[in-house]
Amino acid sequence: MFKLFSFILIFVSILVPFQSAADKIVIAHRGASGYLPEHTLEAKAMAYGMGSHYIEQDVVMTKDDQLIVLHDITLDRTTDVSDQYPNRARDDGRYYSIDFTLEEIRGLKAGEGFRLVDGQKIQSYENRFPMGASSFSIPTLEEEIQLIQGLNASTGNNIGIYPEIKQPEFHRNEGKDISSAVVALLKKYGYTTKQDKVFLQTFSFAELEIIKNDILPAAGIELNLIQLVGSESSYPWMFEPSGMDILAELADGIGPEKGLVISRLSTENNLQITRLVERAHSAGLQVHPYTYRLDPGQVPGYAKSFEDLLYKHYFEADVDGLFTDFPDRAVKFLESSL
Ligand code: CA
């Protein structure tokens, strides 16, 4: 009888791993990037103060093998690199962080992202922090971990980190093993088991295999691994009925683009929730989609508001967490759903 009961409990817990708002998480996407320039320590401190459960770091390498927190492998979009180093672009006109030393990168002025239109810098999200205002810089991954662990010490909270290995194949082609460097740093700062509050993410399935099968065992540690998925075409097999079971042999969760959870073809009266979350949950995988923004034009038409978008994803599609540029709004939403 007891065996049957525990079997039912296990069965139910596999079917519905997370149901209540208390178990769902908010991941600050590039920090509180809706309010302060992405991936600055200021944006991370604000995200921390807003009650985010995890704070995201995108990680790339410098010429002198230092790990920095930067979304692009190039410095063009978020710094004044082209003003300071007009002759250091590659043939494609881009300025790669891997061609600059940490000291050079520390001297760059970071700020709100922009795009070039006829040679003019146009701020990408016009309602966000004014481009060029105040003073920001690019942090190292180590400085950012120290910031978050320092805040954990001073506040008594235990907020997690969520580093992404950016373009591992690019780094390998440049002779750099970025994943081993990230894993070594995580180990140095005490992230060594699946109970520690870190998710390590990448879009590359090949790299995930290397991390799981080679790098983590060599370091003698375990970490929660997240496979990011941008579209069905990147890895079609993941969307087959057995795809999530195969992935679950390596990963602990997936980070899909949110249109893979609720189809972009959805309307207010016809919400099209895909099979992805259901299949991931049956395979024991967590689901943390990206990216939820409330800038003009960023809330899909099937949702009445940003909070309605959160409701549909957290509770109708049953995702376990999500990446948002506006973590305060998601934290408040979950608190109001308790
Ligand atoms: Ca990322």
Side-chain angles (χ1 to χ4, degrees):
M1 184 60 193
F2 176 74
K3 266 190 178 163
L4 179 64
F5 183 60
S6 57
F7 174 77
I8 290 169
L9 266 187
I10 288 164
F11 190 64
V12 168
S13 67
I14 286 169
L15 279 183
V16 277
F18 300 103
Q19 268 200 321
S20 93
D23 292 323
K24 294 182 186 283
I25 62 168
V26 175
I27 305 147
H29 181 248
R30 311 182 198 174
S33 57
Y35 303 102
L36 278 167
E38 65 181 53
H39 286 323
T40 59
L41 291 182
E42 289 82 354
K44 305 306 169 82
M46 190 176 191
Y48 193 105
M50 286 173 161
S52 311
H53 304 106
Y54 284 81
I55 298 174
E56 191 207 20
Q57 300 77 34
D58 290 308
V59 185
V60 304
M61 245 182 180
T62 65
K63 186 177 185 176
D64 49 345
D65 296 340
Q66 302 300 302
L67 298 169
I68 58 170
V69 182
L70 184 71
H71 178 269
D72 307 346
I73 56 172
T74 54
L75 296 153
D76 308 36
R77 183 177 59 86
T78 54
T79 77
D80 63 346
V81 65
S82 61
D83 301 328
Q84 291 201 41
Y85 298 97
N87 303 320
R88 297 275 296 275
R90 289 194 181 185
D91 290 345
D92 62 2
R94 310 299 299 273
Y95 298 83
Y96 289 80
S97 91
I98 215 159
D99 296 334
F100 291 80
T101 64
L102 177 61
E103 194 185 341
E104 289 171 332
I105 288 171
R106 282 194 192 285
L108 298 176
K109 181 170 179 171
E112 196 58 35
F114 61 86
R115 61 186 191 280
L116 285 176
V117 180
D118 299 329
Q120 291 286 102
K121 294 178 179 176
I122 306 294
Q123 184 166 338
S124 300
Y125 291 103
E126 60 176 17
N127 296 343
R128 294 191 177 185
F129 195 86
M131 185 176 67
S134 196
S135 171
F136 303 98
S137 58
I138 295 174
T140 64
L141 179 60
E142 184 159 25
E143 288 165 342
E144 181 152 340
I145 292 173
Q146 288 182 2
L147 175 81
I148 294 168
Q149 292 197 346
L151 284 165
N152 283 343
S154 60
T155 65
N157 292 323
N158 186 17
I159 300 309
I161 61 172
Y162 210 126
E164 177 183 348
I165 310 283
K166 298 302 287 193
Q167 302 204 25
E169 286 83 6
F170 167 82
H171 281 91
R172 287 188 186 284
N173 286 339
E174 298 280 331
K176 298 198 190 291
D177 178 0
I178 182 173
S179 297
S180 289
V182 169
V183 166
L185 190 66
L186 295 177
K187 184 178 178 181
K188 175 181 173 187
Y189 280 88
Y191 302 99
T192 56
T193 72
K194 291 199 180 197
Q195 281 68 53
D196 294 314
K197 295 198 71 173
V198 56
F199 288 99
L200 184 60
Q201 44 164 345
T202 181
F203 276 101
S204 167
F205 179 73
E207 191 73 11
L208 201 75
E209 283 185 301
I210 296 172
I211 293 170
K212 178 76 175 182
N213 296 332
D214 302 331
I215 296 176
L216 290 178
I221 65 172
E222 286 198 325
L223 298 172
N224 290 302
L225 300 178
I226 299 289
Q227 170 74 52
L228 298 169
V229 195
S231 69
E232 291 200 33
S233 59
S234 42
Y235 296 106
W237 62 265
M238 288 183 194
F239 296 87
E240 301 288 324
S242 61
M244 291 297 112
D245 292 314
I246 296 168
L247 186 59
E249 290 169 20
L250 287 182
D252 302 278
I254 55 169
E257 200 286 320
K258 66 181 183 299
L260 297 171
V261 170
I262 297 181
S263 165
R264 295 186 175 282
L265 303 174
S266 297
T267 60
E268 235 182 283
N269 299 321
N270 180 22
L271 197 66
Q272 297 179 37
I273 298 173
T274 71
R275 305 284 305 274
L276 189 64
V277 176
E278 180 195 330
R279 285 176 179 162
H281 281 173
S282 342
L285 293 169
Q286 298 186 53
V287 185
H288 300 158
Y290 65 90
T291 305
Y292 298 75
R293 300 184 169 106
L294 52 82
D295 307 270
Q298 294 292 317
V299 175
Y302 60 77
K304 289 190 277 289
S305 64
F306 182 68
E307 277 67 26
D308 186 43
L309 177 69
L310 296 179
Y311 175 80
K312 285 179 161 60
H313 282 255
Y314 272 125
F315 295 112
E316 294 198 33
D318 197 28
V319 304
D320 307 292
L322 49 79
F323 289 87
T324 177
D325 295 359
F326 301 87
D328 56 330
R329 298 279 290 260
V331 168
K332 281 184 193 133
F333 169 77
L334 286 182
E335 281 171 0
S336 72
S337 308
L338 287 172

